[in-house]
Amino acid sequence: MDDATSQRLNRASSIRQPWALWRLQARIVRWRWISSLGVTSILALWALTASYHNAMLVVQAIMPTIIAWLSVGCLIDDPTIELSAATGLGIRRLWWMRSSIIIGPSWLVAMLCTWIVAKDWLIFGYSTLLMFTALSLGHWMTRITRYSLIGAMLISFILLSQWVAPFWWLPMIMKQRTQLEQVKQYLFFPLDSHAAFQVLLAERHWNVLMLGSLGLITALWAWWLYGREEALILPRTE
Amino acid sequence: MSLIQLENISKHYGKYQALDQLNVQLEGGMIGLLGPNGAGKTTLIRVLTGFLQPSQGRASLAGCDLAQPEQLAQLRQQLGYVPQHPAFYPTWTCSEFVDYIAQLKGMHATAERKAAVERSIQYVGLSDHANKATRQLSGGMQRRLGIAQAIVNDPKVLIVDEPTAGLDPEERLRFRHLLAGLGNQRLVIFSTHIVEDIVQTCRQVIMLKKTILYAGGLNELLEQARAAQVSWDLTSPTPIYDQQLVIVSSSNDEQGYHYRIVGQPPAGSNAKPASNVGLEEAYLWMMQQASA
């Protein structure tokens, strides 16, 4: 092969990858995005036929957790990851492409469901924030123990979706201490935390929106940062 | 111009020091990376591919500074890499997999890419298995497929991590020829702990045991070893079972038991300096020096 041919074959790839490569990535993570989309769609259908109460449960807690759980392992489960990361595209773009493929369709379904049932973008923003936060946490955990996906799922579900955010984090920052008393009555019924959240949202303050936006930006930044990490899937010691 | 340049490269995982102050300057061709298990070969290779960041120091390969993201990205387009345990998607065919790696390397023009995929598969002798699922390949064939994906973009640098480990003698021989052929046209870094592989294929060698024990020409190393009288021939009327002696080879006939040993011979023995020194003896000598 002459130099000209070699240079042509070796030309730098752009950030915008061709459709064929997206299709191949979708094929590699197919069980993840199909499961994510399937579960989210089933939950969304259930929410559509049920009450506002159930819809909130879907978008607030279950959906983001499931999507996050299915996304965290998209690199570490790949047997060829060292090869793929060391040549050509690099691990950062692979992470972006794959997590976008897994999250994207489910996120759209959840968005549609939220709008049809609740017509409440605030709730949707909050669930998206939870999803990215759970994703970040789960991804961070996979760096420590590599295969602790179940742990990531449980922790992200219980800690973020059900306990910390609705009962402590939001009320404390919002300084709505009077409403916190109302919230606490739900403390021992974690699956009813949507009700606690509803109480918190009873008076719609702009600070909630601002806080949600800030959280979302932070979570997106964390997602981007994880994508930059070249040695993402390596164990700490060898 | 040095194609591999390492300046004070160190890498640690927590408290564990995997690489310690590596300094190397070598030209192109086929370079053997030799060291025992746990010497840091794979870590060094991961640093050279940009997969791991060194804890300290600076590395450049084929003129690209690995600490610079743009240059690293440029290197990746010119790099072929075969990991120690090449793994594939089991249901994909050989062609599909090589085609996928070609796309990852930025080869987006379909016709050229297909031709390159076919060419690389043919080069490693897998044309008859191109449409076979990768899970159906034998261990040796999988290693060859690993080479095919690595050379699909005609890389300027090829890094191969322990490709011959676990292969039968015939397949290992085939692999050596394959690598030697590739080494004529590009920089090939060939990591192994099998000394014979290096002897047969490389003119330059890096000996590693967390730090560099030797980096340079193979002939120069053998001359150094000869000058240092690292190996001795010893004849004994009875078998020797001394665990302290590093015995490289042994034979026996009616005159007694003949041994080739590395290091100082036992006091009072009839040992004579060996007239010819092989790489295996030089390697063991280096390891002894490192442990001393």
Side-chain angles (χ1 to χ4, degrees):
Chain A
M1 194 181 294
D2 60 26
D3 277 355
T5 311
S6 179
Q7 280 173 12
R8 195 165 60 248
L9 288 176
N10 292 331
R11 66 187 173 276
S13 58
S14 62
I15 291 172
R16 291 173 63 190
Q17 299 301 324
W19 173 239
L21 195 52
W22 279 98
R23 269 191 321 173
L24 285 169
Q25 294 302 328
R27 183 180 171 191
I28 290 166
V29 295
R30 66 184 180 278
W31 79 263
R32 292 183 182 277
W33 73 260
I34 290 171
S35 310
S36 173
L37 184 60
V39 173
T40 310
S41 301
I42 290 166
L43 287 171
L45 282 173
W46 172 64
L48 287 172
T49 58
S51 63
Y52 178 85
H53 176 112
N54 292 338
M56 290 307 98
L57 188 66
V58 171
V59 294
Q60 186 193 330
I62 299 173
M63 183 276 290
T65 307
I66 287 171
I67 296 175
W69 174 55
L70 287 165
S71 301
V72 290
C74 70
L75 290 178
I76 61 168
D77 282 356
D78 186 343
T80 73
I81 193 63
E82 184 177 351
L83 184 61
S84 313
T87 55
L89 207 61
I91 205 164
R92 175 176 45 181
R93 287 181 192 161
L94 282 180
W95 162 245
W96 283 344
M97 288 177 88
R98 291 184 185 182
S99 52
S100 300
I101 288 166
I102 296 165
I103 292 169
S106 308
W107 188 74
L108 285 172
V109 167
M111 187 170 72
L112 197 66
C113 167
T114 311
W115 178 244
I116 292 171
V117 177
K119 294 185 174 55
D120 193 333
W121 293 112
L122 195 62
I123 296 281
F124 178 72
Y126 175 67
S127 72
T128 304
L129 165 68
L130 282 181
M131 181 179 73
F132 279 107
T133 315
L135 184 65
S136 302
L137 181 73
H139 210 276
W140 173 74
M141 286 188 69
T142 61
R143 291 195 66 201
I144 297 172
T145 56
R146 298 191 83 186
Y147 299 106
S148 60
L149 295 182
I150 294 172
M153 180 188 72
L154 287 174
I155 292 224
S156 57
F157 184 82
I158 295 168
L159 194 68
L160 288 169
S161 302
Q162 296 298 322
W163 293 100
V164 174
F167 291 116
W168 298 107
W169 182 62
L170 271 178
M172 283 168 70
I173 294 176
M174 290 163 65
K175 299 185 187 309
Q176 293 178 327
R177 296 188 186 283
T178 52
Q179 291 186 350
L180 185 63
E181 293 306 313
Q182 288 176 276
V183 171
K184 278 184 176 174
Q185 65 183 298
Y186 297 102
L187 192 62
F188 297 105
F189 302 96
L191 287 176
D192 280 341
S193 65
H194 64 280
F197 191 61
Q198 275 182 297
V199 174
L200 290 175
L201 294 178
E203 292 180 28
R204 296 183 175 213
H205 295 291
W206 283 108
N207 59 356
V208 181
L209 280 171
M210 286 174 66
L211 188 69
S213 306
L214 188 67
L216 185 59
I217 290 166
T218 311
L220 280 170
W221 175 78
W223 186 49
W224 174 78
L225 200 67
Y226 282 124
R228 283 181 64 86
E229 181 66 64
E230 296 292 324
L232 198 63
I233 46 96
L234 283 179
R236 291 280 172 94
T237 57
E238 299 202 327
Chain B
M1 179 193 164
S2 301
L3 284 182
I4 301 182
Q5 199 159 352
L6 307 179
E7 292 173 30
N8 298 318
I9 290 288
S10 295
K11 177 71 189 174
H12 52 80
Y13 303 102
K15 288 179 182 174
Y16 179 74
Q17 187 85 30
L19 298 174
D20 187 18
Q21 298 282 321
L22 308 190
N23 286 288
V24 169
Q25 275 195 336
L26 287 177
E27 292 171 7
M30 187 103 174
I31 297 173
L33 179 58
L34 189 61
N37 292 326
K41 298 189 296 292
T42 297
T43 300
L44 176 57
I45 278 180
R46 284 175 171 170
V47 168
L48 290 175
T49 57
F51 192 52
L52 278 180
Q53 294 280 327
S55 310
Q56 184 195 324
R58 182 172 282 267
S60 73
L61 195 60
C64 297
D65 184 346
L66 302 183
Q68 305 296 325
E70 298 81 19
Q71 292 189 35
L72 178 60
Q74 192 187 340
L75 173 69
R76 280 186 175 139
Q77 302 297 320
Q78 305 169 12
L79 181 74
Y81 176 46
V82 186
Q84 189 173 358
H85 306 291
F88 315 101
Y89 301 118
T91 56
W92 292 29
T93 66
C94 299
S95 292
E96 281 176 333
F97 185 78
V98 177
D99 187 74
Y100 168 60
I101 296 295
Q103 290 195 50
L104 287 185
K105 291 179 175 183
M107 297 167 66
H108 300 317
T110 309
E112 282 179 357
R113 192 180 69 242
K114 296 285 178 201
V117 168
E118 202 179 318
R119 196 165 43 240
S120 63
I121 287 180
Q122 190 179 16
Y123 186 82
V124 299
L126 286 178
S127 295
D128 292 343
H129 306 277
N131 295 318
K132 204 183 250 189
T134 59
R135 65 160 180 260
Q136 294 175 301
L137 300 180
S138 68
M141 286 176 180
Q142 288 195 356
R143 301 288 173 94
R144 279 190 270 152
L145 181 60
I147 292 283
Q149 61 77 26
I151 62 172
V152 68
N153 61 331
D154 195 23
K156 287 181 180 167
V157 181
L158 180 62
I159 299 180
V160 194
D161 192 4
E162 307 229 11
T164 54
L167 294 183
D168 62 54
E170 191 184 355
E171 194 71 51
R172 214 164 88 196
L173 211 59
R174 186 205 295 259
F175 226 93
R176 277 186 203 153
H177 289 307
L178 201 64
L179 288 175
L182 292 167
N184 287 332
Q185 306 147 24
R186 54 180 64 76
L187 168 65
V188 178
I189 300 171
F190 175 20
S191 161
T192 183
H193 60 267
I194 302 169
V195 176
E196 189 60 22
D197 287 345
I198 302 282
V199 175
Q200 297 293 331
T201 53
C202 303
R203 288 184 182 169
Q204 297 180 94
V205 65
I206 298 174
M207 281 193 188
L208 188 69
K209 194 177 179 185
K210 297 191 191 300
T211 188
I212 298 284
L213 303 180
Y214 177 82
L218 204 57
N219 291 335
E220 288 80 358
L221 172 66
L222 295 179
E223 276 173 25
Q224 275 184 34
R226 258 191 296 273
Q229 289 190 347
V230 300
S231 59
W232 299 75
D233 289 325
L234 177 66
T235 302
S236 166
T238 55
I240 296 176
Y241 298 112
D242 187 351
Q243 296 295 318
Q244 302 298 317
L245 287 181
V246 179
I247 298 173
V248 183
S249 60
S250 64
S251 62
N252 65 76
D253 55 23
E254 62 278 1
Q255 292 172 348
Y257 294 85
H258 308 286
Y259 297 96
R260 168 70 61 92
I261 63 169
V262 172
Q264 284 304 309
S269 68
N270 62 354
K272 294 173 187 168
S275 53
N276 59 331
V277 177
L279 181 61
E280 191 168 18
E281 289 138 61
Y283 168 74
L284 289 170
W285 171 58
M286 284 281 178
M287 292 302 141
Q288 281 182 346
Q289 300 286 315
S291 307

